[in-house]
Amino acid sequence: MPVPSHHIIAIPPPFDAPPYPADIFAGQVVLVTGGGSGMGLAMARAFAQGGAHVAIMGRSLDRASEGAAQIAALGVRSHAMSCDVRNPDGVAAAFDEAESALGPVSLLANNAGANFPVLAENISPNAWNAVTRIAIDGTFLCSTEFARRRIARGEGGAIVNNSAQYIWTGFPGDAHSAAAKTAQATMTRKLAADWARHGIRVNAVAAGFFPHADSVSGAREEGIEPLQNMIPAGRTGSIHEFGWLSAMTCTPLFGGMTGQIIVQDGGESLRRSLMMPDFVPPRERAEGPWGWK
Amino acid sequence: MTGWLEGRRARIEGECPAVVAAFGDAGATFVEEGDIDIWVHVAPPSAIKAAHELSHDEWRASLDAGLDRRFLGARDFAEQCRARMGGGAILFIGAPEQALGADQAAAAGALGNLTKTLGVEWARDGIRVNAILTRESGETLGHLAAYLVSDYAAYVTGAVTGIGLDD
């Protein structure tokens, strides 16, 4: 169903009108994990709009390079690297490479993640390990590598984690990601406490539905238009507004903020009614565990 | 923050110099009477007392400022938004749940879930409802408040956030 025409939809400013000046990250380097596409690329673009040089880390060097090329087009320096965030030595090597190419990394965006609809009983040990460890171990390893380097330099920094809107409710049909994304959010608070005295801030954005070219299960013939009316806000999120909020948490404008998890989901995680459509277990949903393909 | 709130009319109920300054920097106009696009309610911190030392009058005063007045003010503002069919933004500011006494714990908890509820109930009126529960009163509070009531936060509604570690 389309959104009724008498409903009022709040719309963000366009991509070319970012909420901060073009030099707010001047002289800084951000490392974005999983930054070659999707939400990571949106984060990378937002940091670039504030003047940060951008190191893009991805499993696939090709994809990271494509992202880095898009970033360079925004007028900052960029560098693409291949890295598995579950491998501590690989993470350290990637930081070395980023710093040798662009200078000391002072900002970190933990975005690397994997996700797909699957019944809990069908999650293989390999799939469970992949989804949980990329988000949980990956965020831990990249954040600690970042923090050790910042502390050694005697300088602060900022970290932003890409969490998800379903972290406080569970997500039937997505057990691995439900666990992984909440771990990211709860570690955000503790990492912030551990590193506050070193001037390192750590925050997270619990993101709702921001469709992009690589969205999981997002390739419907009819596109995303039919999904707009499902969200209380009357639309799915625009990927650049997610990037902006992520980058915003790392700006001096929000310099006192740390340990926070901000939900940006158009009210999606909050919608409920006393009377709802019949409950269909994920196993029996015609369109798969998430209820859509 | 230049232009975040350009052309927007705001009213702030309660005292919060950081928010006033940030809204001004962001281009908002403060109006005392008539239609507004942004309504902010700042609850004053109540005294810190053990629950058994709180009189019912003190308890009532905290709940009135921290909850009842906020609901009634938000309802009036939403009514006005619907009448002009222009959407709007509501922001509640106050102390975190466990920062003061049991009166604040009750009021802030109620307010948090009220924020989540009104954010969805009024979503299709184009009215966003958010809350900052914090011990902080400095610049970040002002900036975050200005962000949350601006179009840059168009996809943020029903959010309850703090600022500092202890929030």
Side-chain angles (χ1 to χ4, degrees):
Chain A
M1 291 252 295
V3 178
S5 60
H6 67 282
H7 291 184
I8 300 173
I9 313 297
I11 302 291
F15 176 73
D16 59 5
Y20 36 71
D23 62 352
I24 199 155
F25 297 124
Q28 299 205 59
V29 174
V30 62
L31 190 154
V32 184
T33 71
S37 62
M39 299 182 82
L41 181 58
M43 289 168 134
R45 284 160 60 88
F47 280 104
Q49 283 187 305
H53 302 305
V54 182
I56 302 266
M57 186 194 273
R59 291 289 297 284
S60 149
L61 183 59
D62 285 348
R63 185 175 281 193
S65 299
E66 286 169 21
Q70 286 194 42
I71 295 306
L74 293 171
V76 299
R77 291 161 59 210
S78 65
H79 181 76
M81 305 171 298
S82 171
C83 178
D84 182 339
V85 294
R86 294 168 292 184
N87 175 343
D89 294 337
V91 168
F95 269 79
D96 283 340
E97 183 180 332
E99 300 202 327
S100 130
L102 300 174
V105 175
S106 56
L107 306 163
L108 171 65
N110 286 305
N111 163 76
N115 197 9
F116 48 91
V118 59
L119 299 172
E121 61 265 37
N122 293 341
I123 300 176
S124 70
N126 278 347
W128 171 265
N129 289 345
V131 172
T132 58
R133 293 183 191 182
I134 290 172
I136 301 175
D137 295 34
T139 299
F140 169 76
L141 291 171
C142 291
S143 298
T144 50
E145 184 64 37
F146 172 86
R148 280 191 291 270
R149 289 169 186 249
R150 298 315 292 169
I151 292 167
R153 294 180 65 87
E155 296 174 12
I159 298 173
V160 61
N161 297 323
N162 177 5
S163 189
Q165 51 91 1
Y166 45 80
I167 53 176
W168 310 128
T169 55
F171 188 176
D174 201 29
H176 45 16
S177 183
K181 287 296 188 179
T182 304
Q184 268 189 320
T186 48
M187 86 171 86
T188 293
R189 293 194 74 89
K190 188 59 183 156
L191 297 178
D194 286 351
W195 298 332
R197 69 192 179 89
H198 299 291
I200 298 170
R201 300 189 294 110
V202 191
N203 294 289
V205 177
F209 190 13
F210 293 86
H212 52 81
D214 302 295
S215 288
V216 176
S217 298
R220 299 185 130 200
E221 262 181 35
E222 63 271 42
I224 57 167
E225 200 53 40
L227 303 173
Q228 307 304 308
N229 202 22
M230 165 178 85
I231 313 281
R235 64 177 176 91
T236 52
S238 303
I239 196 92
H240 69 275
E241 63 190 326
F242 165 74
W244 282 343
L245 176 53
S246 302
M248 275 291 292
T249 68
C250 297
T251 67
L253 289 169
F254 287 7
M257 174 185 281
T258 196
Q260 303 303 316
I261 296 107
I262 301 181
V263 182
Q264 183 185 33
D265 73 343
E268 183 187 352
S269 61
L270 302 172
R271 67 164 281 188
R272 73 183 301 278
S273 305
L274 196 57
M275 299 301 294
M276 291 191 281
D278 287 351
F279 176 71
V280 180
R283 188 179 303 120
E284 296 170 13
R285 292 174 185 164
E287 298 218 34
W290 289 2
W292 67 297
K293 286 177 179 165
Chain B
M1 291 163 56
T2 308
W4 284 10
L5 303 178
E6 208 63 54
R8 298 299 163 92
R9 300 158 298 179
R11 191 170 300 139
I12 301 177
E13 190 168 322
E15 295 293 316
C16 193
V19 173
V20 173
F23 279 28
D25 291 346
T29 305
F30 295 103
V31 295
E32 292 297 322
E33 300 287 330
D35 283 358
I36 48 174
D37 308 295
I38 297 161
W39 185 69
V40 180
H41 187 283
V42 186
S46 47
I48 304 177
K49 286 188 176 181
H52 63 281
E53 291 169 349
L54 278 169
S55 72
H56 187 226
D57 283 350
E58 289 171 321
W59 172 269
R60 233 332 80 219
S62 291
L63 270 292
D64 181 60
L67 178 62
D68 303 347
R69 173 57 208 144
R70 292 168 181 273
F71 171 66
L72 296 171
R75 202 178 57 167
D76 289 347
F77 171 74
E79 185 67 40
Q80 179 249 109
C81 290
R82 280 190 289 273
R84 61 177 171 74
M85 295 186 291
I90 295 170
L91 180 64
F92 301 120
I93 297 174
E97 284 172 26
Q98 305 300 325
L100 306 169
D103 47 350
Q104 172 65 13
L111 179 77
N113 217 26
L114 181 68
T115 299
K116 296 174 182 180
T117 301
L118 298 181
V120 172
E121 201 159 322
W122 295 337
R124 294 296 174 91
D125 297 323
I127 300 167
R128 297 183 302 102
V129 188
N130 294 294
I132 304 173
L133 301 180
T134 183
R135 292 167 173 81
E136 306 286 328
S137 58
E139 274 194 344
T140 296
L141 171 59
H143 297 159
L144 179 61
Y147 167 79
L148 286 173
V149 300
S150 78
D151 288 345
Y152 287 105
Y155 210 56
V156 181
T157 194
V160 181
T161 185
I163 292 177
L165 279 178
D166 298 330
D167 294 345

